[in-house]
Amino acid sequence: MQKLTLLGATGSIGASTLDVIQRHPERFSLWAVSAHRQLERLAEIITKYQPAVAVVADAAGADRLATLLAGVSHACLIRHGAEALCEIASAPQVDTVMAAIVGAAGLAPTLAAARAGKRVLLANKESLVMSGDILLEAVRSSGATLLPIDSEHNAVFQSLPDGFPHGLDGAGVRRILLTASGGPFRIAPLESLHAVTPEQAVAHPNWVMGRKISVDSATMMNKGLEVIEAHWLFGVGADRIDVVVHPQSVIHSMVEYADGSVIAQLGNPDMRTPIAHALAYPERIESGVASLDFMRLAGLCFEAPDLRRFPCLRLAYEALKAGGTASAILNAANEEAVAAFLDRRLGFTGIAHVVEACLDALGADAADCLDSVLAADARAREQATTLIAARMH
Ligand code: NDP
């Protein structure tokens, strides 16, 4: 029986994770859950899955959750705050931690899980983007296991030799090909992009996801973050990670080998596949995902990403090449810009402008300790907030 902590239980990855584990009560039990604002949803999850501990944002949220759970016979310890998140991620009772908080808020608990030697299922790509070196060092020194949940990285992982113990060169890998759907604006007229609304941007053609990652998919910053994530996960330079636009989202990513072979992982676009893969690895379990119906596929298309349309992808490659805290600056500026866009304080095309201006204004330092990463994150948020306010006037 694997005991799980599910960070971000009320989100989109949280819901898919709950769906997979409820299919296998003999394998998985939920020990702890976390949420931020959706307390009603969290109360439903606690009532159904009966975890021992739940963590929410603050004391008021904890009181409200206690009220919502009054009359529920199951006893669940309610905690709050960032420290409690780290505690449920590293507690001795836990084997596996699903890191599915969105954004930089996921960094500290993910790192705590890695330092405690857990099996870490990583959905929170932002933590690797911000501090890949630090997170991987924690994994190495504690003996933790890091398994990718992002469908692309999970696909790459599945297309590599088991565990690839001798690195990508030892495995004869030439390059990694990350597929990208191109999002909702792949063929929209360029001059129409400045008027895109949050509702249009979050309407992804193939995937149902949280709002922040949906906007990131529309700008292709998501693919940029994934390039950086792939660099850390697979130990490969930016020059060997290519992005291929594949609008059907059936091929989730590919690995090309020295002999010219290309191995791909295919399936319906449903996050329960990579979640089930990582939960059961190295075994395979039922995920609830329907079989891919090849007879009904209209075709598989591929094209190069248009960097004029998607400047965020270019910026992510540049940040990766710049090294140090550049990726943390990129990530923080993007989070602030996306939040402002969703809040209608910034136009869609303003997201890339704000990120680029922050990267230009703030020089990258060495990202050798958590303090320098967090300092870069804070400086970038301050700079982005100023730029967003200035653009409004
Ligand atoms: P959602 O927005 O759907 O869910 C985010 C979760 O994080 C919610 O449980 C939310 O709580 C919680 N949360 C939000 N802010 C905070 C905070 N400041 N502190 C603590 N918890 C917080 O996001 P997704 O599930 O879509 O994405 C989660 C992560 O997985 C992201 O890093 C994303 O990039 C990654 N990912 C997602 C994919 C997807 O298909 N959705 C695919 C691949 C990667 P509440 O809702 O209660 O406020």
Side-chain angles (χ1 to χ4, degrees):
M1 178 68 80
Q2 259 188 71
K3 282 197 172 176
L4 254 91
T5 284
L6 175 50
L7 300 169
T10 44
S12 161
I13 293 288
S16 294
T17 306
L18 292 169
D19 186 273
V20 175
I21 64 175
Q22 75 169 1
R23 292 165 192 274
H24 304 279
E26 73 299 347
R27 272 180 177 263
F28 307 113
S29 85
L30 201 55
W31 182 74
V33 288
S34 87
H36 198 57
R37 299 279 170 228
Q38 296 193 68
L39 302 178
E40 281 77 9
R41 171 81 189 113
L42 184 62
E44 287 167 18
I45 293 170
I46 293 168
T47 307
K48 179 165 177 191
Y49 293 89
Q50 310 206 331
V53 191
V55 176
V56 296
D58 49 30
D63 289 346
R64 169 103 184 100
L65 183 62
T67 309
L68 288 167
L69 289 174
V72 173
S73 58
H74 163 69
C76 177
L77 177 66
I78 301 173
R79 313 249 343 251
H80 66 269
E83 219 166 282
L85 282 178
C86 293
E87 283 169 23
I88 59 169
S90 57
Q93 291 90 332
V94 175
D95 308 301
T96 300
V97 175
M98 168 61 84
I101 289 175
V102 62
L107 172 58
T110 305
L111 197 52
R115 284 180 174 148
K118 305 298 181 193
R119 182 180 171 103
V120 183
L121 313 189
L122 188 75
N124 176 249
K125 63 191 86 185
E126 294 90 345
S127 49
L128 258 190
V129 168
M130 290 173 72
S131 60
D133 231 355
I134 298 166
L135 190 56
L136 290 186
E137 179 48 37
V139 167
R140 273 190 293 271
S141 56
S142 71
T145 304
L146 189 63
L147 293 167
I149 292 297
D150 229 333
S151 61
E152 294 77 1
H153 305 76
N154 186 272
V156 169
F157 185 71
Q158 293 196 45
S159 304
L160 286 168
D162 205 17
F164 52 100
H166 308 297
L168 292 201
D169 285 333
V173 171
R174 196 183 274 165
R175 60 179 176 146
I176 284 175
L177 295 130
L178 297 180
T179 52
S181 69
F185 310 126
R186 182 176 61 88
I187 49 175
L190 274 185
E191 60 281 6
S192 70
L193 293 184
H194 73 280
V196 158
T197 65
E199 291 74 19
Q200 291 169 323
V202 300
H204 196 279
N206 305 337
W207 296 93
V208 180
M209 306 182 286
R211 284 161 67 77
K212 189 258 179 183
I213 185 176
S214 296
V215 176
D216 285 348
S217 297
T219 60
M220 271 183 89
M221 178 59 93
N222 183 48
K223 209 51 53 183
L225 299 178
E226 288 177 7
V227 168
I228 301 173
E229 186 184 5
H231 159 75
W232 290 113
L233 281 174
F234 305 116
V236 61
D239 54 333
R240 287 167 70 190
I241 309 170
D242 288 340
V243 172
V244 180
V245 175
H246 163 47
Q248 294 81 12
S249 299
V250 166
I251 297 177
H252 299 312
S253 278
M254 305 178 262
V255 175
E256 182 183 301
Y257 288 87
D259 60 7
S261 301
V262 178
I263 299 189
Q265 186 259 356
L266 285 71
N268 284 316
D270 187 322
M271 288 306 294
R272 290 177 300 174
T273 295
I275 290 169
H277 172 264
L279 275 170
Y281 179 80
E283 292 172 36
R284 297 275 181 174
I285 56 170
E286 178 59 53
S287 67
V289 177
S291 294
L292 185 59
D293 186 347
F294 282 90
M295 306 313 150
R296 294 184 62 186
L297 288 180
L300 301 179
C301 311
F302 306 95
E303 59 195 54
D306 174 354
L307 295 184
R308 264 185 336 135
R309 180 180 294 274
F310 299 116
C312 286
L313 180 58
R314 168 180 58 81
L315 293 173
Y317 268 106
E318 285 171 9
L320 176 56
K321 285 178 187 152
T325 53
S327 299
I329 293 170
L330 172 98
N331 180 65
N334 180 59
E335 279 188 30
E336 292 298 324
V338 170
F341 167 68
L342 286 170
D343 216 15
R344 297 177 209 278
R345 289 181 284 117
L346 182 69
F348 182 73
T349 47
I351 297 173
H353 290 139
V354 167
V355 174
E356 183 152 30
C358 285
L359 283 166
D360 287 348
L362 306 169
D365 303 318
D368 47 3
C369 67
L370 199 54
D371 284 348
S372 55
V373 170
L374 295 178
D377 177 276
R379 280 189 298 132
R381 284 177 200 275
E382 201 179 312
Q383 182 77 19
T385 306
T386 308
L387 288 166
I388 292 162
R391 287 178 74 91
M392 282 181 69
H393 300 296

